[in-house]
Amino acid sequence: MFLQFKREVEHVLKAALDKASYEHRALELETSEHADITSRIAFSLAARYRKPPAVIADDIVRNISIPPANRTLISEVAAMGPYINFYVSDSFLNATLERIKAGNTVDVDKRDTKIIIEHTSANPDGPLHIGHLRNAIIGDTLARVLKRSGYRVETQYYVNDMGRQVAVAVWGVSRFGLNTDKKGDHAVADAYIAANRMLESDATYQSEVEALMKRYETGDEAVMKRYEEAVQRCLAGIKASLHRLNIKHDLFVFESRFVRTGDVARIIEELKRKGELKYEGSAIMLQLEGIDKELVIQRRDGTSLYTTRDLAYHRWKSARCDRMIDVFGKDHELVSQQLRKALILLGVKVLPEFVIFEFVSLPSGSLSTRAGRYISADELMDKIEERAYEEVDKRRSDLSEDKKREIARIVGIGALRYDMVKVSPEKHMIFDLEEALDIEKKGAPFVQYAHARACSILRVARDEGITVPESADLSLLRADSEVALIKKLSTFEYVLENAARELKLHPVARYARELAELFNIFYKNCPVLNADEELRAARLVLVECTMRVLHDVLSVLGIEAPEEM
RNA sequence: GGGCUCGUGGCUUAGUCAGGAUAAAGCACCGGCCUUCUAAGCCGGGGAUCGCGGGUUCGAAUCCCGCCGGGUCCGCCA
């Protein structure tokens, strides 16, 4: 409902500015603690019209005409010094609840735009660790935000099956075998780590790995079979971990396919025609405008490189979508710029947008699969669910074992997901396991708890034979905490819209927490079931609406909403 | 060395792109609240030279310049 209110504000403000003959660029609207929407436009007009901002604000307000109450959601506009403050009407509050009750928690249109989001894309040489987790959770949440905003979204996992790391893993699996008792990704990691140790101690094995890579690139069937076994085993494990996190990719795309289809060779030929190249033996280097470092697109031995295959992948993607977004770690930033420039050179129309996140490191240093220095996602999830179980057990000894396990899983995974998106991605994270496991003071459980409380009221009501009424006198809901809660419910669509436009997720996490907080305050101040019949009816509607929006925002964050906890 | 990026109460952060209303939250700390719908909750309190130094402006956490500190990239790796 908030978006409609905002459109109305834009309309009346624009009309007033025209009427008073103020030329303007933007309306400078923002939400504020002092009003429902405020405009700071008087500040920027002050310089041009050489009048104090407060005088201009006053002048504008005198020129604003608000339509009659039955045709607007604006109740009032007032100049507060230099600020022009707009306030919502009673009908806005009522309409907000009616709309949510009817099932529309947000006001969005279906859009034709199809967006491909690439995320996670961890090398299939071991299990996901907490660095990959940040990528996966950001990518998945972004996909959910865009889907909820009406876009058609496809998520892809780009499988780097042609790189040296994977060759080492395959070599290691052949040499040391796979422990079939272990989850596939962990078994592959064992072989990979052992292989790396051996390669470090004796360089003669390096040539075996290189031979393996060459034979894979040329499509040697026996080698492809060995790759297939190791990579699929590893991916099966990775998929299982992602599944636990409530993450599923629509498509897994193997980089080797672009070599086999000849796309990579075609890309190199095209770049030879269109680009500024340097040759050193058979090695080919591409000079890109504005980037000092040239991009190597073919090795001296004639084999392809990650970047070239990635170019082919992006061109392939561009033909299948209207926008594409890559979720990358900060270490890929330069590469992503080179990729973009090279795609422009190739005449590709749909260019990638990048969501870049900073690294996750451990207090002991940076993460490394190769060195075995990482906390695997599985280990982390096991521990956090275990810790969540202790908390559930402490509070709800009345529940069955299965129920307690289920709640612990929902709370634990939720806490993990929330933690990863609550801060802006450019913030470097030093991952502290103890802190991550401190379930009690997490954002997600707080929001989930509010949801469970709302469900609890509705459940107790149902048990007493009280149903949420079809219609109620919603104008009874005018206590401070009721009004604040309804206003918060109305802004979910605004938060979502901003998140989808800016590709920023932490405001969504913040919103969820704030909504939960306002519900908790309402819960404290406004008894529902013990209120008089009419008030009880209205409050039941409010509780149901809040439950829906909490459920919706949690699902956008990929977090399950428990009905009790 | 060059590029990108981060630096805000004890800790973790929001706000920075588009400069404006007393710098906003969580955790931690101190003090209150369970005969009423789940206390994973609510109420109150203390605590910040917004890394440092200049500049622009009526006004700077926000813009510009310089410096300091952390991260990262600058491979015929991925």
Short mmCIF file of all heavy atoms in Angstrom, two decimals, chain A residues 393-445:
data_model
loop_
_atom_site.label_atom_id
_atom_site.label_comp_id
_atom_site.label_asym_id
_atom_site.label_seq_id
_atom_site.Cartn_x
_atom_site.Cartn_y
_atom_site.Cartn_z
N ASP A 393 15.37 -27.32 23.49
CA ASP A 393 15.18 -28.31 24.55
C ASP A 393 15.01 -27.63 25.90
O ASP A 393 14.20 -28.02 26.73
CB ASP A 393 16.39 -29.25 24.56
CG ASP A 393 16.14 -30.44 25.47
OD1 ASP A 393 15.04 -31.04 25.36
OD2 ASP A 393 17.01 -30.76 26.29
N LYS A 394 15.78 -26.56 26.09
CA LYS A 394 15.74 -25.80 27.33
C LYS A 394 14.36 -25.18 27.55
O LYS A 394 13.85 -25.12 28.66
CB LYS A 394 16.80 -24.69 27.24
CG LYS A 394 17.27 -24.13 28.56
CD LYS A 394 18.63 -23.45 28.42
CE LYS A 394 18.59 -22.17 27.62
NZ LYS A 394 19.92 -21.65 27.29
N ARG A 395 13.78 -24.70 26.46
CA ARG A 395 12.51 -23.96 26.57
C ARG A 395 11.27 -24.82 26.41
O ARG A 395 10.22 -24.52 26.95
CB ARG A 395 12.46 -22.86 25.50
CG ARG A 395 13.44 -21.75 25.74
CD ARG A 395 13.64 -20.95 24.47
NE ARG A 395 15.07 -20.72 24.24
CZ ARG A 395 15.71 -19.65 24.62
NH1 ARG A 395 15.09 -18.67 25.20
NH2 ARG A 395 16.99 -19.52 24.40
N ARG A 396 11.41 -25.84 25.55
CA ARG A 396 10.20 -26.61 25.21
C ARG A 396 10.38 -28.09 25.47
O ARG A 396 10.33 -28.91 24.55
CB ARG A 396 9.85 -26.36 23.73
CG ARG A 396 9.56 -24.90 23.37
CD ARG A 396 8.34 -24.35 24.11
NE ARG A 396 7.15 -25.14 23.91
CZ ARG A 396 6.29 -24.93 22.92
NH1 ARG A 396 6.49 -23.97 22.04
NH2 ARG A 396 5.23 -25.69 22.80
N SER A 397 10.53 -28.44 26.73
CA SER A 397 10.70 -29.86 27.04
C SER A 397 9.40 -30.61 26.81
O SER A 397 9.36 -31.84 26.79
CB SER A 397 11.17 -30.01 28.49
OG SER A 397 10.32 -29.25 29.33
N ASP A 398 8.30 -29.86 26.62
CA ASP A 398 7.00 -30.49 26.39
C ASP A 398 6.86 -31.10 24.99
O ASP A 398 6.02 -31.95 24.76
CB ASP A 398 5.88 -29.46 26.59
CG ASP A 398 6.02 -28.24 25.67
OD1 ASP A 398 7.14 -27.67 25.61
OD2 ASP A 398 5.04 -27.88 25.01
N LEU A 399 7.71 -30.66 24.07
CA LEU A 399 7.56 -31.12 22.68
C LEU A 399 8.20 -32.48 22.45
O LEU A 399 9.12 -32.89 23.18
CB LEU A 399 8.19 -30.10 21.73
CG LEU A 399 7.55 -28.72 21.68
CD1 LEU A 399 8.36 -27.79 20.79
CD2 LEU A 399 6.11 -28.79 21.18
N SER A 400 7.74 -33.13 21.40
CA SER A 400 8.32 -34.43 21.05
C SER A 400 9.73 -34.23 20.49
O SER A 400 10.08 -33.14 20.04
CB SER A 400 7.46 -35.11 19.97
OG SER A 400 7.62 -34.45 18.73
N GLU A 401 10.51 -35.30 20.52
CA GLU A 401 11.87 -35.24 20.03
C GLU A 401 11.91 -34.77 18.57
O GLU A 401 12.69 -33.89 18.20
CB GLU A 401 12.50 -36.63 20.17
CG GLU A 401 13.96 -36.72 19.79
CD GLU A 401 14.86 -35.88 20.72
OE1 GLU A 401 14.42 -35.49 21.80
OE2 GLU A 401 16.01 -35.61 20.30
N ASP A 402 11.06 -35.34 17.73
CA ASP A 402 11.02 -34.97 16.30
C ASP A 402 10.74 -33.48 16.13
O ASP A 402 11.35 -32.81 15.33
CB ASP A 402 9.94 -35.77 15.57
CG ASP A 402 10.40 -37.20 15.30
OD1 ASP A 402 11.58 -37.49 15.62
OD2 ASP A 402 9.60 -37.99 14.80
N LYS A 403 9.78 -33.03 16.90
CA LYS A 403 9.37 -31.62 16.80
C LYS A 403 10.53 -30.70 17.20
O LYS A 403 10.79 -29.69 16.55
CB LYS A 403 8.17 -31.40 17.73
CG LYS A 403 7.44 -30.11 17.48
CD LYS A 403 6.44 -30.26 16.35
CE LYS A 403 6.03 -28.88 15.85
NZ LYS A 403 5.31 -28.96 14.58
N LYS A 404 11.20 -31.06 18.28
CA LYS A 404 12.32 -30.25 18.74
C LYS A 404 13.44 -30.21 17.69
O LYS A 404 14.04 -29.17 17.43
CB LYS A 404 12.86 -30.78 20.08
CG LYS A 404 11.96 -30.43 21.27
CD LYS A 404 12.61 -30.75 22.60
CE LYS A 404 12.59 -32.24 22.89
NZ LYS A 404 13.02 -32.55 24.28
N ARG A 405 13.71 -31.36 17.08
CA ARG A 405 14.74 -31.44 16.03
C ARG A 405 14.36 -30.56 14.85
O ARG A 405 15.19 -29.85 14.28
CB ARG A 405 14.92 -32.89 15.55
CG ARG A 405 15.63 -33.80 16.52
CD ARG A 405 17.13 -33.55 16.53
NE ARG A 405 17.75 -34.18 17.71
CZ ARG A 405 18.90 -33.80 18.23
NH1 ARG A 405 19.58 -32.79 17.72
NH2 ARG A 405 19.39 -34.40 19.28
N GLU A 406 13.09 -30.63 14.50
CA GLU A 406 12.60 -29.85 13.35
C GLU A 406 12.75 -28.34 13.61
O GLU A 406 13.24 -27.60 12.77
CB GLU A 406 11.12 -30.21 13.12
CG GLU A 406 10.38 -29.36 12.09
CD GLU A 406 10.84 -29.64 10.67
OE1 GLU A 406 11.74 -30.48 10.47
OE2 GLU A 406 10.29 -28.99 9.76
N ILE A 407 12.35 -27.92 14.81
CA ILE A 407 12.46 -26.50 15.14
C ILE A 407 13.94 -26.07 15.18
O ILE A 407 14.31 -25.01 14.67
CB ILE A 407 11.76 -26.19 16.48
CG1 ILE A 407 10.25 -26.38 16.33
CG2 ILE A 407 12.06 -24.76 16.94
CD1 ILE A 407 9.48 -26.38 17.64
N ALA A 408 14.78 -26.94 15.75
CA ALA A 408 16.21 -26.62 15.83
C ALA A 408 16.79 -26.44 14.44
O ALA A 408 17.61 -25.55 14.20
CB ALA A 408 16.94 -27.73 16.58
N ARG A 409 16.37 -27.28 13.51
CA ARG A 409 16.87 -27.18 12.14
C ARG A 409 16.44 -25.84 11.52
O ARG A 409 17.27 -25.11 10.98
CB ARG A 409 16.29 -28.33 11.30
CG ARG A 409 16.79 -28.36 9.87
CD ARG A 409 16.08 -29.44 9.04
NE ARG A 409 14.66 -29.20 8.89
CZ ARG A 409 14.15 -28.29 8.05
NH1 ARG A 409 14.94 -27.55 7.30
NH2 ARG A 409 12.85 -28.11 7.96
N ILE A 410 15.18 -25.50 11.68
CA ILE A 410 14.66 -24.28 11.10
C ILE A 410 15.34 -23.04 11.71
O ILE A 410 15.72 -22.11 11.00
CB ILE A 410 13.12 -24.20 11.30
CG1 ILE A 410 12.43 -25.28 10.45
CG2 ILE A 410 12.60 -22.82 10.94
CD1 ILE A 410 10.94 -25.39 10.69
N VAL A 411 15.49 -23.07 13.02
CA VAL A 411 16.09 -21.94 13.71
C VAL A 411 17.59 -21.83 13.39
O VAL A 411 18.11 -20.75 13.10
CB VAL A 411 15.88 -22.06 15.24
CG1 VAL A 411 16.73 -21.05 15.99
CG2 VAL A 411 14.41 -21.85 15.58
N GLY A 412 18.27 -22.95 13.40
CA GLY A 412 19.72 -22.95 13.16
C GLY A 412 20.07 -22.47 11.76
O GLY A 412 20.89 -21.57 11.58
N ILE A 413 19.43 -23.06 10.76
CA ILE A 413 19.71 -22.68 9.38
C ILE A 413 19.27 -21.24 9.13
O ILE A 413 19.93 -20.48 8.43
CB ILE A 413 19.01 -23.65 8.38
CG1 ILE A 413 19.52 -25.08 8.58
CG2 ILE A 413 19.22 -23.20 6.94
CD1 ILE A 413 20.98 -25.30 8.32
N GLY A 414 18.14 -20.88 9.73
CA GLY A 414 17.65 -19.51 9.58
C GLY A 414 18.66 -18.51 10.12
O GLY A 414 18.94 -17.49 9.48
N ALA A 415 19.21 -18.81 11.28
CA ALA A 415 20.19 -17.91 11.90
C ALA A 415 21.40 -17.74 10.99
O ALA A 415 21.93 -16.64 10.82
CB ALA A 415 20.62 -18.46 13.25
N LEU A 416 21.80 -18.84 10.40
CA LEU A 416 22.96 -18.82 9.51
C LEU A 416 22.69 -17.94 8.28
O LEU A 416 23.50 -17.09 7.90
CB LEU A 416 23.27 -20.26 9.08
CG LEU A 416 24.49 -20.52 8.23
CD1 LEU A 416 25.73 -19.97 8.92
CD2 LEU A 416 24.63 -22.01 7.98
N ARG A 417 21.55 -18.15 7.65
CA ARG A 417 21.21 -17.39 6.45
C ARG A 417 21.09 -15.90 6.78
O ARG A 417 21.56 -15.04 6.04
CB ARG A 417 19.91 -17.91 5.83
CG ARG A 417 20.07 -19.24 5.11
CD ARG A 417 18.88 -19.52 4.18
NE ARG A 417 18.77 -18.52 3.13
CZ ARG A 417 18.58 -18.80 1.84
NH1 ARG A 417 18.49 -20.05 1.43
NH2 ARG A 417 18.47 -17.83 0.96
N TYR A 418 20.42 -15.62 7.88
CA TYR A 418 20.21 -14.23 8.26
C TYR A 418 21.54 -13.53 8.49
O TYR A 418 21.77 -12.41 8.01
CB TYR A 418 19.34 -14.15 9.52
CG TYR A 418 18.88 -12.76 9.86
CD1 TYR A 418 17.65 -12.29 9.41
CD2 TYR A 418 19.68 -11.89 10.60
CE1 TYR A 418 17.21 -11.00 9.70
CE2 TYR A 418 19.26 -10.60 10.90
CZ TYR A 418 18.03 -10.17 10.46
OH TYR A 418 17.62 -8.89 10.74
N ASP A 419 22.45 -14.20 9.19
CA ASP A 419 23.76 -13.65 9.49
C ASP A 419 24.52 -13.26 8.23
O ASP A 419 25.24 -12.27 8.21
CB ASP A 419 24.59 -14.69 10.25
CG ASP A 419 24.68 -14.35 11.71
OD1 ASP A 419 23.82 -13.59 12.17
OD2 ASP A 419 25.60 -14.85 12.37
N MET A 420 24.37 -14.06 7.18
CA MET A 420 25.14 -13.83 5.97
C MET A 420 24.61 -12.65 5.14
O MET A 420 25.36 -12.06 4.38
CB MET A 420 25.12 -15.09 5.09
CG MET A 420 26.04 -16.17 5.61
SD MET A 420 27.78 -15.74 5.38
CE MET A 420 28.57 -17.12 6.21
N VAL A 421 23.34 -12.34 5.28
CA VAL A 421 22.81 -11.23 4.47
C VAL A 421 22.55 -9.96 5.27
O VAL A 421 22.24 -8.93 4.69
CB VAL A 421 21.51 -11.60 3.71
CG1 VAL A 421 21.80 -12.65 2.66
CG2 VAL A 421 20.42 -12.05 4.65
N LYS A 422 22.72 -10.02 6.58
CA LYS A 422 22.35 -8.85 7.37
C LYS A 422 23.34 -7.69 7.21
O LYS A 422 22.99 -6.55 7.48
CB LYS A 422 22.19 -9.21 8.85
CG LYS A 422 23.50 -9.42 9.55
CD LYS A 422 23.32 -9.68 11.02
CE LYS A 422 24.68 -9.85 11.67
NZ LYS A 422 24.61 -10.38 13.02
N VAL A 423 24.56 -7.98 6.81
CA VAL A 423 25.52 -6.89 6.59
C VAL A 423 25.76 -6.70 5.10
O VAL A 423 25.57 -7.61 4.31
CB VAL A 423 26.87 -7.13 7.30
CG1 VAL A 423 26.66 -7.35 8.77
CG2 VAL A 423 27.61 -8.27 6.67
N SER A 424 26.18 -5.49 4.75
CA SER A 424 26.39 -5.22 3.34
C SER A 424 27.57 -6.05 2.85
O SER A 424 28.51 -6.30 3.59
CB SER A 424 26.59 -3.73 3.11
OG SER A 424 27.84 -3.34 3.57
N PRO A 425 27.49 -6.50 1.59
CA PRO A 425 28.46 -7.49 1.09
C PRO A 425 29.89 -6.97 1.02
O PRO A 425 30.82 -7.78 1.02
CB PRO A 425 27.93 -7.83 -0.31
CG PRO A 425 27.01 -6.73 -0.68
CD PRO A 425 26.46 -6.18 0.59
N GLU A 426 30.08 -5.68 0.96
CA GLU A 426 31.46 -5.19 0.84
C GLU A 426 32.20 -5.17 2.18
O GLU A 426 33.32 -4.71 2.28
CB GLU A 426 31.52 -3.81 0.17
CG GLU A 426 30.89 -2.69 0.94
CD GLU A 426 29.46 -2.43 0.50
OE1 GLU A 426 28.82 -3.37 -0.06
OE2 GLU A 426 28.94 -1.34 0.72
N LYS A 427 31.52 -5.69 3.21
CA LYS A 427 32.16 -5.75 4.51
C LYS A 427 32.92 -7.07 4.65
O LYS A 427 32.36 -8.14 4.47
CB LYS A 427 31.08 -5.69 5.60
CG LYS A 427 31.44 -4.79 6.73
CD LYS A 427 31.04 -3.37 6.45
CE LYS A 427 31.29 -2.51 7.68
NZ LYS A 427 30.85 -1.14 7.46
N HIS A 428 34.18 -6.96 4.95
CA HIS A 428 34.99 -8.14 5.18
C HIS A 428 34.52 -8.83 6.46
O HIS A 428 34.32 -8.17 7.47
CB HIS A 428 36.46 -7.72 5.30
CG HIS A 428 37.38 -8.83 5.65
ND1 HIS A 428 38.45 -8.67 6.49
CD2 HIS A 428 37.39 -10.11 5.27
CE1 HIS A 428 39.08 -9.83 6.62
NE2 HIS A 428 38.46 -10.71 5.88
N MET A 429 34.33 -10.15 6.40
CA MET A 429 33.85 -10.86 7.58
C MET A 429 34.95 -11.75 8.17
O MET A 429 35.55 -12.53 7.45
CB MET A 429 32.69 -11.79 7.23
CG MET A 429 31.37 -11.10 6.98
SD MET A 429 30.11 -12.29 6.43
CE MET A 429 29.73 -13.12 7.96
N ILE A 430 35.19 -11.60 9.44
CA ILE A 430 36.04 -12.57 10.11
C ILE A 430 35.09 -13.49 10.87
O ILE A 430 34.37 -13.06 11.76
CB ILE A 430 37.05 -11.90 11.07
CG1 ILE A 430 38.01 -11.04 10.25
CG2 ILE A 430 37.80 -12.95 11.87
CD1 ILE A 430 38.89 -10.13 11.06
N PHE A 431 35.08 -14.73 10.40
CA PHE A 431 34.09 -15.66 10.90
C PHE A 431 34.47 -16.24 12.24
O PHE A 431 35.49 -16.91 12.39
CB PHE A 431 33.90 -16.79 9.89
CG PHE A 431 32.77 -17.69 10.23
CD1 PHE A 431 31.49 -17.38 9.83
CD2 PHE A 431 32.98 -18.83 10.98
CE1 PHE A 431 30.44 -18.20 10.17
CE2 PHE A 431 31.93 -19.66 11.32
CZ PHE A 431 30.66 -19.34 10.92
N ASP A 432 33.65 -15.95 13.23
CA ASP A 432 33.89 -16.46 14.56
C ASP A 432 32.85 -17.53 14.86
O ASP A 432 31.66 -17.24 14.98
CB ASP A 432 33.79 -15.31 15.57
CG ASP A 432 34.14 -15.76 16.99
OD1 ASP A 432 33.81 -16.90 17.35
OD2 ASP A 432 34.74 -14.96 17.72
N LEU A 433 33.31 -18.76 14.94
CA LEU A 433 32.38 -19.88 15.10
C LEU A 433 31.53 -19.74 16.36
O LEU A 433 30.32 -19.91 16.32
CB LEU A 433 33.15 -21.21 15.12
CG LEU A 433 32.29 -22.47 15.19
CD1 LEU A 433 31.38 -22.57 13.98
CD2 LEU A 433 33.15 -23.71 15.30
N GLU A 434 32.16 -19.40 17.47
CA GLU A 434 31.41 -19.28 18.72
C GLU A 434 30.29 -18.24 18.60
O GLU A 434 29.18 -18.45 19.07
CB GLU A 434 32.36 -18.90 19.87
CG GLU A 434 33.09 -20.09 20.47
CD GLU A 434 32.15 -21.26 20.78
OE1 GLU A 434 31.15 -21.05 21.48
OE2 GLU A 434 32.41 -22.38 20.29
N GLU A 435 30.63 -17.15 17.95
CA GLU A 435 29.64 -16.10 17.77
C GLU A 435 28.51 -16.56 16.86
O GLU A 435 27.34 -16.30 17.11
CB GLU A 435 30.34 -14.88 17.16
CG GLU A 435 29.63 -13.57 17.42
CD GLU A 435 30.45 -12.43 16.86
OE1 GLU A 435 31.53 -12.15 17.42
OE2 GLU A 435 30.02 -11.86 15.86
N ALA A 436 28.89 -17.27 15.80
CA ALA A 436 27.89 -17.76 14.85
C ALA A 436 26.93 -18.74 15.52
O ALA A 436 25.77 -18.85 15.16
CB ALA A 436 28.57 -18.43 13.66
N LEU A 437 27.45 -19.45 16.52
CA LEU A 437 26.63 -20.47 17.18
C LEU A 437 25.78 -19.89 18.31
O LEU A 437 24.97 -20.58 18.90
CB LEU A 437 27.54 -21.56 17.75
CG LEU A 437 28.31 -22.39 16.72
CD1 LEU A 437 29.19 -23.42 17.42
CD2 LEU A 437 27.35 -23.09 15.77
N ASP A 438 26.00 -18.63 18.61
CA ASP A 438 25.28 -18.02 19.72
C ASP A 438 23.85 -17.70 19.29
O ASP A 438 23.45 -16.56 19.13
CB ASP A 438 26.01 -16.74 20.16
CG ASP A 438 25.75 -16.44 21.62
OD1 ASP A 438 24.79 -17.03 22.16
OD2 ASP A 438 26.47 -15.63 22.20
N ILE A 439 23.11 -18.77 19.13
CA ILE A 439 21.77 -18.75 18.57
C ILE A 439 20.81 -17.77 19.25
O ILE A 439 20.01 -17.10 18.62
CB ILE A 439 21.18 -20.18 18.71
CG1 ILE A 439 21.63 -21.02 17.53
CG2 ILE A 439 19.69 -20.18 18.82
CD1 ILE A 439 21.06 -20.62 16.25
N GLU A 440 20.95 -17.67 20.56
CA GLU A 440 19.97 -16.93 21.34
C GLU A 440 19.84 -15.47 20.94
O GLU A 440 18.78 -14.88 20.99
CB GLU A 440 20.35 -17.04 22.82
CG GLU A 440 19.16 -16.91 23.73
CD GLU A 440 19.53 -17.10 25.18
OE1 GLU A 440 20.70 -17.44 25.46
OE2 GLU A 440 18.65 -16.91 26.02
N LYS A 441 20.97 -14.87 20.53
CA LYS A 441 20.93 -13.44 20.24
C LYS A 441 20.97 -13.14 18.75
O LYS A 441 21.50 -12.13 18.33
CB LYS A 441 22.07 -12.75 20.98
CG LYS A 441 23.41 -13.38 20.72
CD LYS A 441 24.52 -12.66 21.46
CE LYS A 441 24.85 -13.25 22.81
NZ LYS A 441 26.28 -13.50 23.01
N LYS A 442 20.41 -14.02 17.95
CA LYS A 442 20.45 -13.84 16.50
C LYS A 442 19.21 -13.14 15.98
O LYS A 442 18.15 -13.16 16.60
CB LYS A 442 20.55 -15.21 15.83
CG LYS A 442 21.88 -15.86 16.02
CD LYS A 442 22.94 -15.08 15.30
CE LYS A 442 24.29 -15.68 15.57
NZ LYS A 442 25.35 -14.86 15.03
N GLY A 443 19.36 -12.58 14.81
CA GLY A 443 18.25 -11.89 14.16
C GLY A 443 17.14 -12.82 13.74
O GLY A 443 15.97 -12.57 14.01
N ALA A 444 17.51 -13.93 13.09
CA ALA A 444 16.47 -14.81 12.55
C ALA A 444 15.54 -15.37 13.62
O ALA A 444 14.33 -15.28 13.49
CB ALA A 444 17.09 -15.92 11.72
N PRO A 445 16.07 -15.92 14.71
CA PRO A 445 15.18 -16.46 15.74
C PRO A 445 14.23 -15.39 16.30
O PRO A 445 13.09 -15.70 16.64
CB PRO A 445 16.14 -16.97 16.82
CG PRO A 445 17.39 -17.27 16.08
CD PRO A 445 17.48 -16.26 15.00
#
